[in-house]
Amino acid sequence: MAGVQPLGRARGSTWTWRPVARDVLLARAFHSCTELEGRFYLVGGLLEGGARVPSNDTVIFDPAVGQAVRLVARGSPLRSHHDAALVGGRWLCVVGGWDGSRRLSTVAALDTERGVWEAWAANPGNCPPAGLSSHTCTRLSDGELRVSGREGGTHTQRRYGSIYTLKLDHRTRTYCYKEEGCHTTSRSGHCAALLPTAGPHPGHQLLLFGGCNSVGPEVAGQWSPGKIKEEQPVAPHLREQLARLVSSGQGLQQGPQSLRHHSCSVVGPFAVLFGGETLTRARDTICNDLYIYDTRKSPPLWFHFPSTDRGLKRVGHRTCLWNDQLYLVGGFGEDGRTASPQVCILEFFI
């Protein structure tokens, strides 16, 4: 691991991303980053701006020691603009994405115990999307995902976005898509957050943020109390810090407009969005803003915390929650071409 150069704190700022590790293996964008047993699995992505062919790297980063290693695994897929989810506490399933020539809806799975990639097969009743990229996959339970986002290429995409339930069976190494009856606005490069609803008997709702010109989140699923068994990581200290941060800000009804390729992590009742690319400006499009969506009251409120530190600008990055810290991994910087080799943690000054 090379020396970590501090980004510094912008004057008057209440937060920053503090570098904790640096390794060229981590320099990528539009990858996936998934935590398993205290290690981050980075799959694929683009190694530089303008690249047409994605990486087939699988890199494992250990945040406890700040070290990254490349996993040498047979069958590692070429992928970018995909999403990934864990199944059975062992299989890292990569869903859809760009392979350098087309958009896919297939599933490739890394058996993390054996260190081998597998191409899972579709069930006979499978009704797949036309091809997915810059979509989202949200775990509803072990082996069940909710998939949302624009299908197909720019010439074949629909004016609306379909929602799919994706069942994954690690025992048979199979998957099956089922299209849901509801639709959303056509989105690409958005994020999704499974959040508790306000009230004495909270249920859950899946909200989509960004990826189109809309300023508000869109509901892609609702569940009554007790239906969602998926447990979010416990982060009491980070949750307390976010509560203190929003108490110092002014809540708004509307969130960021026309943001895409940003990151989103759920911390208790908060959705934490960072960076991305805005569609509202012709120049200087890559952002370094922090947004907090607070669902503790109805209606939920947005809190915006901008930064003047241009070194924090990111697009195509990922955030990952582990050990009561939120980590920032990869992404292109201000020029939209140079991938960051740094890993940072979100730090507050409140």
Side-chain angles (χ1 to χ4, degrees):
M1 180 179 68
V4 177
Q5 300 296 318
L7 293 177
R9 173 187 172 189
R11 178 176 296 179
S13 177
T14 53
W15 64 276
T16 192
W17 289 102
R18 178 170 65 85
V20 294
R22 181 187 181 94
D23 196 301
V24 68
L25 290 176
L26 304 170
R28 63 195 60 231
F30 302 104
H31 54 293
S32 59
C33 181
T34 311
E35 186 270 331
L36 172 61
E37 297 181 348
R39 298 191 296 176
F40 299 167
Y41 284 75
L42 282 69
V43 176
L46 301 179
L47 303 186
E48 60 184 5
R52 290 287 298 170
V53 179
S55 168
N56 67 344
D57 271 356
T58 303
V59 173
I60 303 174
F61 174 70
D62 186 343
V65 296
Q67 292 183 343
V69 295
R70 179 182 284 114
L71 176 67
V72 180
R74 299 194 312 271
S76 185
L78 292 164
R79 289 292 187 278
S80 70
H81 300 80
H82 56 284
D83 209 351
L86 281 172
V87 175
R90 172 175 170 177
W91 287 269
L92 178 60
C93 292
V94 169
V95 179
W98 173 255
D99 71 351
S101 61
R102 60 194 177 106
R103 293 167 178 85
L104 306 170
S105 59
T106 54
V107 175
L110 173 66
D111 183 338
T112 60
E113 291 188 4
R114 297 170 53 230
V116 175
W117 281 95
E118 304 167 340
W120 285 13
N123 272 341
N126 184 50
C127 296
L132 296 166
S133 65
S134 300
H135 54 291
T136 56
C137 296
T138 306
R139 269 178 59 119
L140 303 180
S141 64
D142 189 24
E144 182 176 356
L145 310 181
R146 183 60 61 98
V147 181
S148 64
R150 186 176 297 162
E151 298 175 54
T154 55
H155 299 295
T156 60
Q157 65 199 17
R158 302 172 179 174
R159 294 183 179 272
Y160 60 85
S162 297
I163 299 174
Y164 291 85
T165 295
L166 175 59
K167 296 288 186 69
L168 300 162
D169 190 337
H170 62 83
R171 295 164 300 182
T172 59
R173 310 294 203 271
T174 58
Y175 65 91
C176 187
Y177 284 95
K178 175 191 173 185
E179 185 171 1
E180 298 295 323
C182 51
H183 296 111
T184 66
T185 303
S186 182
R187 295 174 186 264
S188 178
H190 57 290
C191 65
L194 185 63
L195 288 160
T197 55
H201 304 290
H204 286 84
Q205 59 182 356
L206 180 62
L207 298 179
L208 308 182
F209 301 97
C212 64
N213 291 326
S214 172
V215 297
E218 190 171 10
V219 177
Q222 289 182 301
W223 295 269
S224 57
K227 292 293 185 182
I228 296 293
K229 306 298 184 182
E230 182 69 8
E231 295 184 2
Q232 298 292 342
V234 177
H237 180 60
L238 180 58
R239 178 174 172 168
E240 179 185 351
Q241 289 180 309
L242 291 170
R244 292 175 62 189
L245 180 65
V246 300
S247 69
S248 69
Q250 179 66 45
L252 305 170
Q253 295 291 333
Q254 288 191 339
Q257 182 177 5
S258 303
L259 195 64
R260 66 178 181 180
H261 302 311
H262 47 292
S263 62
C264 177
S265 290
V266 173
V267 183
F270 305 107
V272 182
L273 283 67
F274 173 70
E277 178 184 29
T278 179
L279 302 173
T280 60
R281 297 194 298 263
R283 304 173 67 180
D284 193 26
T285 60
I286 298 176
C287 304
N288 53 1
D289 301 78
L290 184 71
Y291 291 92
I292 311 295
Y293 186 71
D294 184 356
T295 67
R296 291 176 297 173
K297 295 181 180 179
S298 184
L301 293 175
W302 283 99
F303 294 85
H304 178 205
F305 300 95
S307 173
T308 58
D309 186 348
R310 302 185 71 86
L312 295 182
K313 288 177 176 285
R314 291 288 190 281
V315 64
H317 53 288
R318 292 284 187 168
T319 51
C320 206
L321 186 60
W322 177 75
N323 197 29
D324 218 349
Q325 299 275 9
L326 190 62
Y327 287 77
L328 170 67
V329 184
F332 293 140
E334 182 179 6
D335 64 359
R337 300 186 63 84
T338 306
S340 172
Q342 288 186 329
V343 175
C344 305
I345 58 172
L346 185 59
E347 192 169 74
F348 300 94
F349 309 101
I350 48 178

